[in-house]
Amino acid sequence: MSRIVQFTAPGGPEVLEFKDIDVPMPGEGEIRIRVKAIGLNRAESMWRTGEYIEEVKLPARLGYEAAGFVDAVGSGVTGFKKGDAVNTVPAFSQNQYGMYGEVVLAPASAVVKHPPNLSFEEASSIWMMFITVYGAFVEAAKLKTGDVVLIPAASSSVGLASIQIVNMLGATPIALTRTKAKRQQLVEAGATHVIVTDEQDLVSEVMRITDGVGARVVFDPVGGPSFGKLIKAMTTGGILLAYGALSEEPAQLSYLDLLIKLPTIMGYTIWNTTGDAVRQKAAVEFITKGLSSGALKPMIDRIFSFDEIVDAHRYLEKNNQFGKIVVTV
């Protein structure tokens, strides 16, 4: 028997409940994993409230990232055996699989070998954030040396991963944060510049930093009233990748600014990369190389126990973390 987490109605963290289930042997193309750590993601919070990009089928499980040991392998699975240390990457629907559990099933296509220099807690924190950023900057934006990148919500796990990969690629990260409380942490995390948007004028600061040129790439998870300011802060012909909708207010922008800046505005999700086996493999190799060299590092804010999963979700929704929230099992 294994304890898993599910919910039978959408709502706040309190709808999460434990359930004892008998986890079957893995089917064809599946791997059964004995979980040691779970990484939490904003996508799972949105899934729980019914506000995600995919319709939830109730009762529902949840969770994309887990680290642990292979417990059994299904038919047709190669490259993995019982006892191997492994991680899962977000490459499946939560309507089909959920990683919040003591023992879970996962599609072999979403399982990768555990980076040997990381703890289970660290490994459960890396794949959503680094693959998301890899796909945006390497595949979509084709980031190059000398580019300037604006990173709103820079203290989130994806924001911090963005700073690291921008630096790894030889570009310049400008971190955006609402208050000055996290300014020094962002500098220590590798941000070349930090703009405190509640105190500084975003557009004029970017133009000052770039000598009036603007940023070629913007990676925005917020939207809302500040969206138009991001357009104004871009260079002509730049690219804005929208990968979230943290603001509940409508995005605001001027059509005239679109004609002046001529930006490419794209919606982006991690599925662009993990939905293709070849692209996922390239992403995993890039990230593994960065982890080995020290250019990429896990950033964990706080660790909860599995019994504290409701509290962990409450903490996630406060938006005060600096890095990833992890749950040990």
Side-chain angles (χ1 to χ4, degrees), residues 25 60 73 145 160 200 227 288 315 324:
M25 289 295 290
V73 297
T145 301
L160 295 171
Q200 298 172 283
F227 192 78
T288 301
Y315 184 69
K324 194 86 162 189

mmCIF file of all heavy atoms in Angstrom, residues 25 60 73 145 160 200 227 288 315 324:
data_model
loop_
_atom_site.group_PDB
_atom_site.id
_atom_site.type_symbol
_atom_site.label_atom_id
_atom_site.label_comp_id
_atom_site.label_asym_id
_atom_site.label_seq_id
_atom_site.Cartn_x
_atom_site.Cartn_y
_atom_site.Cartn_z
ATOM 1 N N MET A 25 1.675 -3.158 -10.426
ATOM 2 C CA MET A 25 2.922 -3.292 -11.159
ATOM 3 C C MET A 25 2.855 -2.399 -12.395
ATOM 4 O O MET A 25 1.772 -2.182 -12.953
ATOM 5 C CB MET A 25 3.140 -4.747 -11.570
ATOM 6 C CG MET A 25 3.474 -5.677 -10.426
ATOM 7 S SD MET A 25 5.077 -5.278 -9.669
ATOM 8 C CE MET A 25 6.202 -5.793 -10.979
ATOM 9 N N ALA A 60 -8.872 13.739 -8.609
ATOM 10 C CA ALA A 60 -7.630 14.006 -9.329
ATOM 11 C C ALA A 60 -6.414 13.852 -8.431
ATOM 12 O O ALA A 60 -6.448 14.168 -7.242
ATOM 13 C CB ALA A 60 -7.658 15.425 -9.897
ATOM 14 N N VAL A 73 9.981 -2.147 -13.250
ATOM 15 C CA VAL A 73 9.862 -1.625 -14.615
ATOM 16 C C VAL A 73 8.877 -2.476 -15.403
ATOM 17 O O VAL A 73 8.790 -3.693 -15.207
ATOM 18 C CB VAL A 73 11.233 -1.591 -15.333
ATOM 19 C CG1 VAL A 73 12.181 -0.656 -14.634
ATOM 20 C CG2 VAL A 73 11.838 -2.976 -15.436
ATOM 21 N N THR A 145 25.221 35.585 -26.874
ATOM 22 C CA THR A 145 26.092 36.457 -26.092
ATOM 23 C C THR A 145 25.772 37.926 -26.358
ATOM 24 O O THR A 145 25.622 38.329 -27.512
ATOM 25 C CB THR A 145 27.564 36.180 -26.437
ATOM 26 O OG1 THR A 145 27.857 34.818 -26.154
ATOM 27 C CG2 THR A 145 28.493 37.065 -25.627
ATOM 28 N N LEU A 160 14.844 32.332 -10.996
ATOM 29 C CA LEU A 160 16.229 32.076 -10.604
ATOM 30 C C LEU A 160 16.929 31.180 -11.621
ATOM 31 O O LEU A 160 18.110 31.382 -11.923
ATOM 32 C CB LEU A 160 16.264 31.444 -9.213
ATOM 33 C CG LEU A 160 15.767 32.347 -8.082
ATOM 34 C CD1 LEU A 160 15.637 31.570 -6.782
ATOM 35 C CD2 LEU A 160 16.713 33.535 -7.893
ATOM 36 N N GLN A 200 11.101 51.983 -8.611
ATOM 37 C CA GLN A 200 11.817 52.503 -9.775
ATOM 38 C C GLN A 200 10.946 52.409 -11.021
ATOM 39 O O GLN A 200 10.106 51.507 -11.143
ATOM 40 C CB GLN A 200 13.112 51.712 -9.994
ATOM 41 C CG GLN A 200 14.100 51.802 -8.832
ATOM 42 C CD GLN A 200 15.274 50.863 -9.018
ATOM 43 O OE1 GLN A 200 15.164 49.661 -8.814
ATOM 44 N NE2 GLN A 200 16.422 51.421 -9.437
ATOM 45 N N PHE A 227 2.210 44.626 -18.310
ATOM 46 C CA PHE A 227 2.584 43.997 -19.572
ATOM 47 C C PHE A 227 3.042 45.034 -20.603
ATOM 48 O O PHE A 227 4.041 44.848 -21.296
ATOM 49 C CB PHE A 227 1.403 43.195 -20.123
ATOM 50 C CG PHE A 227 1.746 42.289 -21.262
ATOM 51 C CD1 PHE A 227 2.374 41.076 -21.050
ATOM 52 C CD2 PHE A 227 1.435 42.654 -22.571
ATOM 53 C CE1 PHE A 227 2.693 40.227 -22.099
ATOM 54 C CE2 PHE A 227 1.745 41.816 -23.628
ATOM 55 C CZ PHE A 227 2.377 40.609 -23.395
ATOM 56 N N THR A 288 22.137 18.797 -17.470
ATOM 57 C CA THR A 288 23.080 17.930 -16.763
ATOM 58 C C THR A 288 24.498 18.464 -16.872
ATOM 59 O O THR A 288 25.262 18.467 -15.894
ATOM 60 C CB THR A 288 23.004 16.496 -17.313
ATOM 61 O OG1 THR A 288 21.668 15.998 -17.165
ATOM 62 C CG2 THR A 288 23.960 15.575 -16.571
ATOM 63 N N TYR A 315 2.008 27.615 1.798
ATOM 64 C CA TYR A 315 3.231 28.415 1.694
ATOM 65 C C TYR A 315 3.505 28.784 0.236
ATOM 66 O O TYR A 315 3.893 29.923 -0.059
ATOM 67 C CB TYR A 315 4.394 27.618 2.277
ATOM 68 C CG TYR A 315 5.709 28.373 2.310
ATOM 69 C CD1 TYR A 315 5.893 29.450 3.171
ATOM 70 C CD2 TYR A 315 6.762 28.003 1.483
ATOM 71 C CE1 TYR A 315 7.094 30.141 3.215
ATOM 72 C CE2 TYR A 315 7.971 28.691 1.515
ATOM 73 C CZ TYR A 315 8.127 29.758 2.372
ATOM 74 O OH TYR A 315 9.317 30.443 2.408
ATOM 75 N N LYS A 324 12.732 27.078 -4.842
ATOM 76 C CA LYS A 324 11.794 25.966 -4.920
ATOM 77 C C LYS A 324 11.348 25.488 -3.541
ATOM 78 O O LYS A 324 12.094 25.527 -2.570
ATOM 79 C CB LYS A 324 12.488 24.806 -5.650
ATOM 80 C CG LYS A 324 11.542 23.714 -6.107
ATOM 81 C CD LYS A 324 10.956 24.026 -7.453
ATOM 82 C CE LYS A 324 10.387 22.759 -8.070
ATOM 83 N NZ LYS A 324 9.995 22.970 -9.462
#
